[in-house]
Structure formats: C-alpha cells, structure tokens
Amino acid sequence: MKLLYKTAARNILRNSRRSLMTGSAVAAGAIAMLLFGGFVLYIFSGLETINVQRVGHLSVFRNGYFLFGSGNPAAYGIDDYKRVMQLIAQDELIRPRLNVLTPTQSLVGIAGNFSDGNEASKTFLGVGVIPSARDRMRQWDEHSTGNTFKPDHRLSDEDETRGLIGVGMARILGLCGPLELRACPPAPARTGDTPQARPREDLVGLAQLDATVATGEPTAPHLELLGATAGGAPNVVSLSVAGAESQGVRELDDNYIAMHLGLAQQLVYGRGEHKVTGIVLQLHRTEDLPVVRTRLQKLIADNHLDLEVRDFLDLSPFYVQVRAMFGAIFIFIALVMGVIVLFAVVNTMTMNVMERINEIGTIRAMGVRRGGVRMQFILEGALIGAIGASVGALFAFGVAALVNYAGLTWIPPGNSSPTPFKVDVLNHPLLVASTWIVLTMVAMAAAVIPANRAARLSVVDALRHV
Amino acid sequence: MVPVGTVRFAFMVPNSTGDDAMSPLALPLATTTNTRAVRLDDAAKTYRTGDVEVPALRGISIDIPYHRFSMVIGASGSGKSTLLNLIGCIDTPTRGTVEVCGEAVGELDDDGLADFRARNIGFIFQTFSLVPVLSAYENVEYPLVLVGTPEAERRRRTNEVLDAVGLSAHANRRPNELSGGQRQRVAIARALVKAPQIVLADEPTANLDSETGAAIIELMHRVQTQSRTTFVFATHDPQLMSAADEIFVIRDGMLIEHRHPGSRQ
C-alpha cells in the first residue's frame, strides 16, 4: 500500500499543471461550499437565537390553543398556572437545563389613541410578559452570535401599566411624534369628518375614566386597550406607551403590543381568576430540547393536565421555511460544484490513463492485477480530491476570517435590526469534514470510469502502445 | 549465511562507482523442480482486425529447458513477440496449450495469471519500461512488493541486485536521470530481483548503441550463468545470438529451425 500511495502521489506531480487545474476546481468547490455553508449555518444560528429569545425553546399551552386559540386566547387560559410552573421548575431533570421559565398571555383587542385630539384606533395582537424574564430571554446566545439585547428598561416588573408597541402601530395611531420616532411619517391631514372618524364617545369615556383611575395624571402617551374578558364582557385598560420597536414583519409591526403580564391579565380576565395562555421554557442549550419536551409531556400526563407542549419550530414556521430554503440552495450549490469536480477529475484521469498505457502494460506484465491498476487510478483521483479540498478549506478559513474581521452587518428576513454578517466555518467541523469527504468521494468516484478503462486494457496492447 | 534461493559468486561486474570498477556479484538463485521451463504444444495465435483474421502463430510446439540462454529469432512480423507473450502469460493462445514452469497457464484466470507472472516471470523490454515516477531502487523493489516480500528482505535483495548491475550509486535516480544503458540495467535488476524461473527479454538491446548493448549482453549472460535463471530472448541482434545456448528460428508464425550453437549446463 505504501508503494501504491507513493506512486499515486508522484503521478499527481508528474503533470503538475494539469493536476493543479483539477485540484483548483476541487478547491473552488470546497471554498464555495464552505463559505456558503458557513454563512447559512450562521444564519441558522442567528435565526434560532432570535426565535429562542422571543418564544423560548418550549411552550406549554392548554390543549387546542396552538391550533384554535389565536382567535380567542382568553378561552384557552391555563388554570392554576403557578402550580404548573412550580411543577416544572422543581423537576430534577428540567431544572438544571432551564434558563428561563415564564408565563405569557396572548390577547387581542382594539387599541385607541384618544388623547390630544386623536381619535385613532385599530385592532391589536398583544402579549403580556414578565419584563425581567423577557430581558433574560433576550440575553440567550448559545451560538455566540453576538445578537443579544441590553435590558429593556422601558418595561418594568414594578410598573404594570407600561408597554411597547410596533412602529407600524405607532404610525397608525398617531404616536410617531410623541414617541419621537424617526422614519415614521405623521398621518395625512383630515379633509373632513367621515363616519369612520367620528368620536366614539362610549369608548372615549371609558378610557378617560380608566386612565384617571389607573395612573393619575399620565405623562407618557397612552393607549386605551379594549378587549373582551374570558366571560365575554367588554373591558378597558390604559397602556402607557414607553416606546416603539420595529417587529420586522409589517403585519406584526402594525398590530404589536407588548405589556406587563399583569395588565394583560387585567384586560382578559378582569376580576376573575388570572390565567395565562402559555408557559415558556428557555433552555441553556437547544440540544436539551428533546429531553425536556419528553419530560414535560410525562409530567403533564402524570398529573392529568389538559396541556400540550410545542417547540419553537412549531411556533416559528418562518424559521423552518428559511432553513429549508437555504438548505435547498446549499444542496444546489453542492451539486453544481460536485458536477464541476466530477468532470474535471474524469477529464484529468482519462488523460492520465491515455498517457500511461505503456506503463499500465508494464506493471500488469510484472504481475499487478486488474484491481491493482484500478486502485492506482482511483487513489490518484481521491488524492487530487483530498488535496484540493484541503487547500480549499484553508482558503475558506482565510476568507471567512477576513469577512468576519470586516464587521459587516445585515438585516435578516423577519428581523428589525442589523445583525453581524458572519461566515461561521471554523465552529462547524461537521460542515468542513462533510465537504472534504464529499469532494474527495466525488473525485474518487470520477476516477472510477478511467480507472476501469485502464484496468480492462489488454496487457499486450498496452505494451505495444507508443 | 546465504539465504535460500540466493547464491554469491565471485564474478566481477561493473559496480556503482564506475563502469571500470568491479564488485562481487550476488544474485538470487532460481530454484526449480522440473526440467522443462516452457512447453508449447501446437500453440497458435490469431488476431482479429474487424472481419480479417491475422495468424501470428500457426501452431508451434517447442520445449525450452531450464537454465538456458535461449533466443527466438526471426524477421519482423514473424511472431517472435507473440511467442514471448504466450510464454510470459500476458496473452493466451487461440489453439494449443502453453505450460510454463509446469503450470498449464491456460487454466488460470486473469488474476491467477497476474499472480503467476508476479512469482515466476521477469520481463525486460526493448524500451526499458521503467515506472517513471519511481527511483531506480523503487523500480527494482516493485516486484518484491507485489509478492509480499518483507521490507527488510526487500531492502537487502534490492540493494544486492542493484549492486550486481553496478547501479548502487544511482539507486535514488529516476529513470529520466539515467542513460539508456543504465535504464536497461535497472530493468534487468527488476526482472531478476524476485529470482524468477524465467526472464523474458524482447529485443533488450534494440534501443542501445552497440557498445552499451554488448555490455548489457555480457551482464545478462553473466547473470544467467550465476543465477541459473532461464532467459528467453526475442532478438535480431547478432551479438546477442552469439551468446545463445539455443536458438529458435520463427518464420511466418512457424518454427522452422532449432539450433544448439553452444550448450551450457
């Protein structure tokens, strides 16, 4: 075998220019696959981070909420949710894996801005959170993407009246000025009263009464939130708008309100039992998700709870779609590169065989079997592939380091703020190894046809060949 | 202690330090149990080119004893090389039988023939046919690798044979760094290193000038005498013919004469 490797290696150097060109094709394939793969994996890490920061790894809902609850969240509240949280928090398998355990309340309703002569209102999708838990969740960065958030003091555990809204909602409700938002145009001047613009006195009165009772003299912009309680009665709360932040997706941005859990519960449940629509678990590591999910399901079953468990992939179909799309693009690029490498190696090895027919006859006469000749050329193809892929990997490391050093940023789909543009190759040894193996195997496979041709040569004909 | 299959002779051959300097020759000794190295019985070979059949051998029956310096001579196209190909087990007859070293080679499959060649037959080609990416040493060592000789034994035998053909100093050179005569000496060393029963040489001096050719003939003759390997040549070279124990004359694919110019046992 040593002689076989030695001969193969030296034959590669025999026509160094041809081998260089072929090796370059393999290296180019490796560079393309690794850089794109590294970029894609970084995107995956970034999207996973964003989603886990938003919705955690796992959410516990009342059965049916995930499929039917978004239209009427109040009807799917979890009874005695604090006991359920306690059950989860005290579980010995889950506890060490748990980073954040927090309740959330989803809600829908109508938000209105009736202050300072405004009469704007629109439907909203709201979420009630524990602000400190939200801050901790937004610190999660298992993959070291650098995409974390500083604690958001606009929301506070102590002040239940504060909330954040989407920039789109601020624009629609005429809050761009009071919130001093940039790139947020004011509403066009009204040309006259229309049926839609008439003040809704009942709503305005309720809101003013509620605002006075709840907050005394408001200083920040306020929104009046009208919703239906779980019992079906109308209810109004006043939200002190502490700020606005873009949600990335326009539909969400135009409808989004985040508020303190207490305020959300007050609106949805009124004086009744305060429930939540979800209990969110954020883990230290994503790889623990299956274990914790299984454990949660067991806990639910053992305690006869009417609950279900969903992971962040269920809650973020966009993330799954982006993964699938980039995965398909990566496979397409890999296929194109594989075909290029295949043809380059086939061409080179065919020429090598043609040039070495007499040599093939000689070694066959000396007693090398057909399989030995075949192995010789396949090994040469594999070596070209291996060397090309190794050199390509080194280049890819260098280019990735340069790109990462440049500190580029971009706004990924569904995101509202710039995130670092990175090509994460070194942290994904599986990508490097699989690219190397695939390209080497392709080069090896490409050598099979010429190698078979060499092995099938008649010894006499090969020796006669000039 | 001399290993089995190896014999040391006091003959002097050109050594690695220069063509004039001499060193003791140590060569592997071919050992046999039969008396007949080659037997062809009505062996015929016909090549087909499209619809045209071209008979290269028309039914030859010959016996070649062991330990002889035998020549096959004839004009170009007479069938010399085809006969050597049959003896060398790199071609099969279309009719008749070929027996080499007591083995009916027609019964062997392709891998069996390859293994048989690796063990029993050494080749010396007109164009030297060395593996260009291997050094002289590695070219000579190659046949030993094929038969699985242990590394230490390979090293010893390769060095001995290279020394015997006077190329120790050039052991690390590639074929393109050697002269024609040196290349043919490497080829001879390669053919002999595994102590084959038979060495087949197809016009081994055709690409050499007369002086170098004479030196090569002298070397092969000496080697044959010492190692008692059976040499079978196909040649036009009168110098080579003068050294022959037996001469088979081929014309139009048929044996027309069998001479014994100088029988040596």
Side-chain angles (χ1 to χ4, degrees), chain A residues 95-265:
Chain A
R95 191 174 54 208
R97 293 172 169 82
L98 199 58
N99 185 41
V100 177
L101 178 68
T102 184
T104 63
Q105 173 66 45
S106 296
L107 65 161
V108 293
I110 297 172
N113 176 16
F114 306 112
S115 60
D116 299 331
N118 284 297
E119 294 165 2
S121 64
K122 78 174 299 302
T123 54
F124 73 88
L125 295 171
V127 58
V129 297
I130 305 289
S132 58
R134 175 178 179 261
D135 282 341
R136 275 186 287 131
M137 284 181 69
R138 281 154 54 112
Q139 292 296 310
W140 187 88
D141 192 15
E142 182 192 345
H143 305 298
S144 304
T145 61
N147 191 24
T148 57
F149 296 85
K150 292 176 183 170
D152 188 351
H153 298 298
R154 294 174 297 181
L155 293 182
S156 163
D157 284 359
E158 285 72 38
D159 187 352
E160 292 190 0
T161 64
R162 285 199 231 164
L164 297 172
I165 63 175
V167 171
M169 172 157 275
R171 185 179 63 247
I172 293 165
L173 295 182
L175 290 176
C176 291
L179 293 173
E180 298 175 348
L181 299 177
R182 285 176 295 178
C184 182
R190 285 165 42 180
T191 55
D193 283 345
T194 63
Q196 288 76 17
R198 272 186 216 129
R200 280 160 286 193
E201 290 173 4
D202 52 345
L203 192 62
V204 172
L206 272 172
Q208 285 172 343
L209 178 66
D210 188 71
T212 307
V213 170
T215 61
E217 288 190 10
T219 54
H222 273 69
L223 289 180
E224 313 310 326
L225 306 181
L226 170 66
T229 64
N235 195 9
V236 173
V237 295
S238 181
L239 177 81
S240 173
V241 182
E245 60 184 20
S246 174
Q247 300 302 306
V249 180
R250 184 188 171 104
E251 289 75 14
L252 182 61
D253 200 43
D254 288 352
N255 293 284
Y256 179 75
I257 297 179
M259 66 193 83
H260 194 288
L261 178 68
L263 188 66
Q265 287 174 319

Side-chain angles (χ1 to χ4, degrees), chain A residues 6 10 14 362 364-365 369, chain B residues 110 115 117 129 132-133 138:
Chain A
K6 197 191 295 181
R10 290 182 190 170
R14 192 165 163 184
T362 302
R364 288 277 289 131
R369 292 181 174 192
Chain B
D110 196 81
D115 294 346
R117 291 193 298 270
S129 296
V133 295
E138 289 160 342

Side-chain angles (χ1 to χ4, degrees), chain A residues 310-329:
Chain A
R310 296 285 175 170
D311 62 31
F312 70 98
L313 299 178
D314 294 328
L315 301 178
S316 311
F318 177 75
Y319 170 62
V320 178
Q321 289 163 357
V322 169
R323 275 192 80 117
M325 182 186 75
F326 276 113
I329 294 173

Side-chain angles (χ1 to χ4, degrees), chain A residues 364-443:
Chain A
R364 288 277 289 131
M366 286 163 58
V368 174
R369 292 181 174 192
R370 288 187 195 278
V373 173
R374 190 179 292 116
M375 180 64 76
Q376 177 81 58
F377 284 95
I378 290 175
L379 188 61
E380 286 179 31
L383 271 178
I384 289 176
I387 293 168
S390 301
V391 171
L394 290 176
F395 267 96
F397 293 157
V399 173
L402 279 176
V403 170
N404 296 340
Y405 179 74
L408 306 173
T409 60
W410 73 307
I411 300 177
N415 207 10
S416 57
S417 54
T419 61
F421 180 99
K422 287 188 177 175
V423 180
D424 193 2
V425 180
L426 277 174
N427 287 329
H428 294 99
L430 192 63
L431 169 71
V432 179
S434 56
T435 299
W436 190 92
I437 289 169
V438 164
L439 288 174
T440 304
M441 295 295 283
V442 167

Side-chain angles (χ1 to χ4, degrees), chain B residues 101-252:
Chain B
C101 306
E103 180 99 33
V105 293
E107 294 169 9
L108 298 175
D109 62 9
D110 196 81
D111 283 349
L113 284 172
D115 294 346
F116 184 82
R117 291 193 298 270
R119 285 193 310 272
N120 299 296
I121 300 173
F123 287 90
I124 301 169
F125 300 100
Q126 179 180 337
T127 52
F128 323 129
S129 296
L130 302 175
V131 179
V133 295
L134 299 180
S135 66
Y137 178 93
E138 289 160 342
N139 265 287
V140 174
E141 185 190 28
Y142 200 127
L144 297 177
V145 175
L146 290 180
V147 293
T149 308
E151 190 172 353
E153 175 71 0
R154 280 204 315 261
R155 196 179 308 121
R156 186 186 63 75
R157 284 167 68 170
T158 303
N159 284 326
E160 280 183 3
V161 175
L162 274 171
D163 192 40
V165 298
L167 284 175
S168 291
H170 304 297
N172 292 322
R173 292 195 181 175
R174 298 270 179 96
N176 63 352
E177 297 168 329
L178 300 171
S179 68
Q182 288 170 328
R183 289 184 208 182
Q184 198 59 301
R185 280 198 240 165
V186 174
I188 292 168
R190 182 179 66 182
L192 291 168
V193 71
K194 62 188 176 188
Q197 301 290 346
I198 300 171
V199 171
L200 299 173
D202 193 358
E203 311 255 15
T205 55
N207 277 4
L208 302 173
D209 59 67
S210 58
E211 191 179 339
T212 310
I216 290 295
I217 292 165
E218 170 60 20
L219 173 64
M220 288 193 291
H221 205 176
R222 193 174 291 152
V223 160
Q224 192 275 330
T225 305
Q226 294 160 20
S227 66
R228 297 175 64 75
T229 300
T230 305
F231 271 68
V232 182
F233 294 85
T235 187
H236 290 295
D237 190 346
Q239 285 187 101
L240 197 47
M241 281 184 254
S242 67
D245 296 325
E246 300 197 37
I247 296 177
F248 299 92
V249 184
I250 306 284
R251 184 189 296 159
D252 297 332

